[in-house]
Amino acid sequence: MIVAPSQHDAHKSGILSKFRLFTPILAGATLKERLIGCLGALIGICLTGFVCGLVMGNDPHLPLIVAPIGASAVLLFAVPASPLAQPWSIVGGNTISALVGVTVTTFVTDPALAIGLAVALAILAMSLTRSLHPPGGAAALTAVIGGAAVARAGFWFPFVPVAINSLLLVGVGILFHKLSGRQYPHRQAVAPVNTHKTADPPAAFRVGFNTDDIDAAVANLNETLDISRADLDALLRQVELQALLRQRGDLTCADIMSRDVVTVPLDATADMARTQLLDHDIRTLPVLDGEGRLAGTVGLRELAAMTPAAHLPISEAATANPSDPAIGLLPRLTDGTIHAVVVIDEARRVVGIISQTDLLATLAKSLSQTGLPAGLMSGHGQGI
């Protein structure tokens, strides 16, 4: 059912359109995230200034904290995932740029030429050292027009206070983000590899877009994006998954899981587990502890080189809840390492298992219902 927008909604939309220039363009820029960023900047700048005061003794001839650190704090606490906000970018970018600025001041006497050269050469130096950081331009400029205090410090200025300021701010940032549950420094998405040690790309990456497509798309935009190619690849694949969940996310894990699950106890031997796997023609066995809770999984790959009486080589289990969308398991069951996802309840008791076969059969059925040619596959679902 389509509901026509009310006059109030239309009026509100009209007002917002007039102020579209004030709409945040950053994805994920929620009010909560911005408030966390404000708190981080408050703590980071105050602590940096306080510690620098203790270290440098509040020297009236030396700035306690340089202005570019304020811009660094914006990046560090408001967009911590940005490549421009990483530790080396902040410390290296500010320090190297300040060093460039001092060097330019030493050899160029014309102020107008000096300020231009300082910023331009700072960009070049940061690019060559992979430490591009926008506040670095301000650090270079400060080294040129900072006045008597900066001139008196000379080549010490890039290190005291610029490098000290930057190091302290990064240290506070790492601690703050850890306490607030954020990831910093940002860990770039890892490029997928074929776990079977062949030249083929992983199965999930043989169709759809690839890295060459991403490079071509970015080149066509003719813009520099504030995100790494690996992160962009991961983001686009997550978008694909979310679209699939929206279109076919009505089926839950409980709908397609195998319920008669073959398991082994934690104290079973390798020979007992191997027998269970071969008798039932399956590849993955959930391992249960003494209270019947999931302790992990074991598979034929791990048991291949084990002696019959050896203890089980237990691996961490891939798990899901019965109410989770079944299509959401697609990335895990196509990564080349996981053959089955164990479905558990809140007490970590096994209620079912979903294998690659189960998910493939579900996708085949879904495709056939849309009129696309697809064969319906069947078979025992536990880790085939």
Side-chain angles (χ1 to χ4, degrees), residues 149-241:
V150 175
R152 192 181 301 109
F155 280 96
W156 278 109
F157 175 72
F159 306 100
V160 183
V162 175
I164 292 179
N165 286 170
S166 301
L167 286 167
L168 287 171
L169 186 69
V170 167
V172 174
I174 292 173
L175 180 60
F176 176 83
H177 287 307
K178 183 176 182 180
L179 294 177
S180 61
R182 287 167 141 193
Q183 177 186 293
Y184 185 83
H186 175 66
R187 289 191 294 273
Q188 184 173 284
V190 179
V193 295
N194 191 324
T195 56
H196 301 298
K197 300 179 180 179
T198 64
D200 293 315
F205 294 81
R206 294 173 196 166
V207 295
F209 65 87
N210 56 33
T211 54
D212 291 336
D213 297 326
I214 294 176
D215 289 340
V218 172
N220 287 335
L221 286 175
N222 197 28
E223 293 185 14
T224 299
L225 302 181
D226 188 11
I227 183 173
S228 68
R229 187 179 68 177
D231 284 342
L232 186 57
D233 184 290
L235 175 62
L236 292 176
R237 297 192 186 279
Q238 186 63 32
V239 170
E240 283 188 329
L241 176 60

Side-chain angles (χ1 to χ4, degrees), residues 313-335:
I314 301 174
S315 302
E316 183 178 355
T319 61
N321 295 320
S323 59
D324 290 344
I327 299 298
L329 304 182
L330 195 58
R332 285 188 282 177
L333 287 176
T334 56
D335 66 359

Side-chain angles (χ1 to χ4, degrees), residues 101-142:
V102 173
T103 303
V104 169
T105 303
T106 303
F107 294 100
V108 180
T109 57
D110 181 73
L113 180 59
I115 57 176
L117 276 176
V119 175
L121 292 177
I123 294 174
L124 177 61
M126 288 188 289
S127 299
L128 293 176
T129 57
R130 301 178 65 85
S131 61
L132 192 63
H133 186 59
L141 201 59
T142 302

Side-chain angles (χ1 to χ4, degrees), residues 271-293:
D271 191 52
M272 293 170 57
R274 191 183 295 112
T275 299
Q276 286 279 58
L277 287 166
L278 295 175
D279 285 350
H280 293 277
D281 193 21
I282 55 179
R283 296 175 64 181
T284 303
L285 276 176
V287 181
L288 308 183
D289 63 18
E291 298 181 352
R293 296 187 178 90

